[in-house]
Amino acid sequence: MPVIKPTCVRDLKLRVNLADVVSRMVTLRKAGGARLKGLCPFHNEKTPSFHVDADKGFYKCFGCGKAGDAITFVRETEQLNFTEAIEALGKRFGIVIEYEEGSGGPSTADRTLRQEVFDLHEVAADHFFQAFKAHDATGDFMRSLWMEQRKFPAELADEFKIGAVDADGGGLGGALLRRKFSEEALRRCGLFFIYDDAAITLPALRPRFRGRLMIPIRDHQGRVCAFTARQTTLTPDDDPAREAKYVNSPETPVFTKGNLLFNLDRARTQVGEGKPFVMVEGQLDALRCWSVGLKTAIAPQGTSITESQLVLLRRYHTQVECFFDSDAAGQKAALRFLPMALKAGLEVRFLTLAGASKLDPDLLFLESGPERAHEVYRGLNRETAMAFACRAALPEVAGASPEAKSRAAQSVFEIIANAESEVSRSEFVNETAAHLRLPVAALQRDFQGFSARPGRPAAARPAGEPTFPPPAQAAASHTPEQHLLMLLLHFEALGPPLSASLPHDWIDTGHVAGALLNRFIAEFEQNNWPGRDHLETLLESDAERALIATLLFETPAIDDPAKVAAEGLRQLRARALEPELRKIELALATPGADGDSDPISLLKRRSEIQRQLRQPISLPANF
Ligand code: ZN
């Protein structure tokens, strides 16, 4: 088991800015002082309660209570262990990781399966990319397919590492075996068909993808986690999925179809005011958009969009333009997308092209070329959610019967009911009335009736929003240890006098705060206190890191910290000594009940305790 040098951990924490680490996943905005805030990656929320203090290097969510530092953040968001999280940060920020002598370096055996499957995909993507670039029959064929048939630029293939695999599977199995990936990783990576009881040898690794153009799929952090394979004329007849135009990796430890949006890793860095996400149907549509400079395009994995994809999307930006084919399948997909988008609190527009019977982003931008793409994109019609829903429900409003309009309204109500706020639902009903040319008041009443139907919740709960205890609850349970710990962190000069007046046996080390206070006091006694911004080497568990982060985020309004600390000491002293005093008094009051203790020594001990309890506690205030 490799052990990273504590000095290296400390160095890494100094050099890595927590804001840079977090902003890979969370869009952060200024929140006053050195603080930043954004939507919490650990729970689903609509208003930011996830705070980052980049100076102190700690984060804390006031919604769900998650707190920690750069290392905990990487551990929790990427499911890595401590060592792996540090290695990942080192790699990302160009910091060399040093290991304790004799503990070994980063070894294949110690990587978690997930990390290994990610690494394996990176190797596979490279392997396929080299085959695409190779000047041989397969490479030449795939490049001409890419550039001449599909008319994609060569640079785009380089940028997205487009790959190729020949009809035999391209020797991927051998390449991975040479790289010493574990049996488990090879079984679970989804790139091979393997019989359960087969030993992992080269012949047992039957490639899933053969004779196809390979598009690497990256998760929102940019890690290759799967592939989409496009059928070509090289796809062999004995491919079990011969007829499928596109074949995706199956679900694996690193790939859940419903959680992933193609190109989100890049698009999320491009969105902003006036630059909404553009949801297209397929990966090639998204690639086309990217190649003409529309860099916020994303695509679901396969045909259906899921709620969790939209929740993920919402973390980065709330505006989405839906740019689906105008064919029946595309419109159906758009209608499926709409209620989920409203539920996730997204602001949706539907892109349409006036007078065009067929709207296909790939074709449209292929025709326009990069020069005119922006103009074409700007010139598209943008339909609101309700305009789109009403048109779908009733294409011809003029001349429609009241019954037809009423039926249409009911189907639009089904969509509106997904919106989380009363205000937006009411606005949507008003808009519907205008589109269907119905009296607003009557339609509002109809919607009330619709909402009141049995089985229909009064207000739709936002997608997957779990309930959390109020944030203040955790803080209410402050023990004297926790209180002193907080004072120590905010008024570090209290450390030396506090350590001089606080005997270790007064501290209850049975809980996290006590254990930490005990450890910190010892550091002060030995003149070893590293400073509150360099506590990493003193913290032993995630619970400890979380508590420290929480306490650092408190802004204590304290005029006289020494006085408050003295009060804390008094509480600890009373808690440590008073029970013994009561026991002694009980023993003195009932002579003989406790045969062992002699009254003289009991009396002596009582006056000693009484003396200690009377002793004034004060800490020097001059710091
Ligand atoms: Zn949270």
Side-chain angles (χ1 to χ4, degrees):
M1 174 81 182
V3 178
I4 295 172
K5 282 190 177 167
T7 49
C8 175
V9 176
R10 198 156 45 213
D11 186 45
L12 179 114
K13 285 202 54 177
L14 278 177
R15 289 171 59 190
V16 167
N17 181 342
L18 179 63
D20 294 338
V21 177
V22 172
S23 58
R24 281 166 62 99
M25 288 197 65
V26 179
T27 307
L28 291 171
R29 294 195 175 81
K30 285 218 159 68
R35 289 215 195 162
L36 300 160
K37 64 178 177 178
L39 294 172
C40 178
F42 303 109
H43 84 277
N44 180 20
E45 62 177 5
K46 303 273 154 65
T47 46
S49 48
F50 183 80
H51 288 243
V52 172
D53 190 321
D55 285 354
K56 295 202 185 96
F58 283 102
Y59 63 85
K60 159 126 181 133
C61 172
F62 290 91
C64 66
K66 286 265 186 190
D69 60 10
I71 298 168
T72 4
F73 186 83
V74 172
R75 293 191 56 169
E76 298 215 347
T77 53
E78 300 176 34
Q79 282 96 49
L80 301 176
N81 67 31
F82 184 75
T83 305
E84 289 167 344
I86 291 174
E87 286 169 346
L89 282 167
K91 204 166 145 191
R92 230 166 270 167
F93 292 91
I95 296 163
V96 180
I97 304 299
E98 291 167 52
Y99 299 85
E100 292 285 20
E101 244 160 89
S103 75
S107 59
T108 312
D110 287 318
R111 283 181 295 184
T112 62
L113 179 66
R114 265 173 64 81
Q115 190 55 48
E116 200 187 350
V117 175
F118 274 127
D119 291 348
L120 187 154
H121 273 83
E122 213 60 63
V123 171
D126 254 327
H127 185 84
F128 292 140
F129 180 58
Q130 294 313 326
F132 180 85
K133 302 284 275 183
H135 290 280
D136 58 17
T138 308
D140 293 345
F141 172 83
M142 295 291 183
R143 282 196 312 282
S144 92
L145 176 81
W146 179 256
M147 289 186 283
E148 280 142 46
Q149 252 175 279
R150 300 299 307 220
K151 308 234 181 304
F152 279 117
E155 305 77 56
L156 188 72
D158 292 345
E159 218 176 338
F160 283 81
K161 261 198 189 166
I162 299 301
V165 59
D166 67 22
D168 298 324
L172 178 67
L176 294 176
L177 282 174
R178 279 194 298 282
R179 295 289 289 260
K180 304 253 182 297
F181 283 102
S182 71
E183 240 192 79
E184 183 72 356
L186 289 165
R187 275 188 201 283
R188 307 269 309 268
C189 68
L191 301 178
F192 304 100
F193 298 110
I194 304 172
Y195 292 115
D196 280 347
D197 52 353
I200 299 293
T201 57
L202 192 50
L205 297 174
R206 293 159 52 241
R208 178 181 296 270
F209 304 118
R210 288 179 298 150
R212 289 176 182 263
L213 182 78
M214 303 298 290
I215 304 168
I217 310 296
R218 294 167 189 278
D219 65 9
H220 63 288
Q221 299 188 47
R223 300 175 295 192
V224 179
C225 59
F227 291 94
T228 290
R230 171 76 162 80
Q231 178 201 69
T232 71
T233 52
L234 296 187
T235 312
D237 289 337
D238 64 347
D239 179 345
R242 172 78 187 86
E243 297 313 317
K245 214 161 145 193
Y246 292 95
V247 177
N248 280 318
S249 293
E251 307 239 324
T252 69
V254 300
F255 179 55
T256 310
K257 231 165 53 170
N259 284 344
L260 201 131
L261 286 162
F262 180 74
N263 202 39
L264 181 60
D265 58 317
R266 293 166 196 253
R268 69 188 175 85
T269 66
Q270 309 280 333
V271 289
E273 216 26 64
K275 283 162 86 183
F277 279 117
V278 177
M279 179 78 79
V280 293
E281 276 179 275
Q283 290 136 349
L284 291 179
D285 293 318
L287 287 171
R288 178 71 65 201
C289 290
W290 183 274
S291 76
V292 298
L294 178 54
K295 300 201 164 182
T296 59
I298 45 175
Q301 225 26 70
T303 45
S304 51
I305 293 172
T306 66
E307 278 182 33
S308 57
Q309 286 169 337
L310 299 184
V311 167
L312 181 64
L313 190 69
R314 205 193 173 286
R315 269 192 211 159
Y316 304 107
H317 199 55
T318 51
Q319 296 167 331
V320 184
E321 290 178 342
C322 182
F323 196 175
F324 286 1
D325 286 1
S326 56
D327 61 12
Q331 294 308 289
K332 225 173 128 186
L335 264 181
R336 238 184 69 76
F337 165 73
L338 180 53
M340 281 188 281
L342 294 189
K343 202 166 171 183
L346 292 168
E347 198 185 306
V348 203
R349 292 282 181 278
F350 290 84
L351 297 182
T352 56
L353 186 56
S357 59
K358 179 111 181 79
L359 176 70
D360 172 335
D362 186 16
L363 283 179
L364 191 70
F365 291 135
L366 180 57
E367 278 166 20
S368 77
E371 306 76 27
R372 284 188 50 247
H374 193 71
E375 186 192 323
V376 168
Y377 167 67
R378 281 279 145 231
L380 294 167
N381 291 331
R382 284 168 171 72
E383 228 174 13
T384 64
M386 287 308 115
F388 177 81
C390 291
R391 191 165 55 82
L394 189 65
E396 291 293 336
V397 181
S401 68
E403 291 74 25
K405 285 186 181 184
S406 167
R407 268 198 309 276
Q410 290 294 318
S411 73
V412 178
F413 286 169
E414 295 280 353
I415 293 169
I416 295 176
N418 288 284
E420 63 163 316
S421 93
E422 177 93 46
V423 178
S424 8
R425 288 197 298 272
S426 169
E427 282 297 315
F428 286 147
V429 174
N430 290 346
E431 228 194 292
T432 304
H435 288 299
L436 297 178
R437 296 180 206 164
L438 289 166
V440 175
L443 202 65
Q444 286 287 5
R445 275 196 304 277
D446 276 1
F447 184 68
Q448 304 279 314
F450 169 87
S451 305
R453 269 184 223 162
R456 182 160 290 287
R461 259 162 65 82
E465 189 121 272
T467 47
F468 289 98
Q473 225 167 59
S477 59
H478 270 189
T479 58
E481 280 91 349
Q482 188 158 335
H483 204 69
L484 285 171
L485 200 57
M486 189 267 290
L487 285 168
L488 258 190
L489 290 171
H490 289 279
F491 308 96
E492 291 176 277
L494 268 179
L498 192 65
S499 67
S501 4
L502 175 55
H504 285 275
D505 57 4
W506 288 2
I507 303 173
D508 173 6
T509 54
H511 54 88
V512 179
L516 279 174
L517 182 65
N518 198 39
R519 207 175 303 149
F520 288 4
I521 291 291
E523 293 296 314
F524 278 110
E525 278 166 3
Q526 294 156 21
N527 268 324
N528 264 341
W529 178 246
R532 70 167 183 201
D533 297 339
H534 311 290
L535 292 177
E536 185 49 44
T537 46
L538 294 182
L539 304 180
E540 291 172 359
S541 68
D542 287 345
E544 294 183 356
R545 282 181 203 100
L547 177 62
I548 293 301
T550 302
L551 295 177
L552 281 174
F553 266 100
E554 291 186 6
T555 32
I558 294 171
D559 294 332
D560 188 349
K563 208 170 142 191
V564 181
E567 178 52 35
L569 280 178
R570 253 188 301 278
Q571 287 178 21
L572 286 182
R573 180 176 69 182
R575 200 186 61 192
L577 299 180
E578 278 172 359
E580 194 188 347
L581 188 65
R582 279 197 295 277
K583 240 163 96 184
I584 291 172
E585 281 170 347
L586 194 68
L588 287 170
T590 50
D594 186 350
D596 284 349
S597 43
D598 103 72
I600 306 289
S601 60
L602 281 177
L603 285 167
K604 259 177 145 172
R605 177 75 188 138
R606 180 174 74 169
S607 54
E608 169 58 22
I609 294 174
Q610 282 168 338
R611 191 190 61 79
Q612 282 193 31
L613 282 171
R614 270 196 311 270
Q615 222 166 48
I617 293 183
S618 73
L619 294 164
N622 56 333
F623 55 82

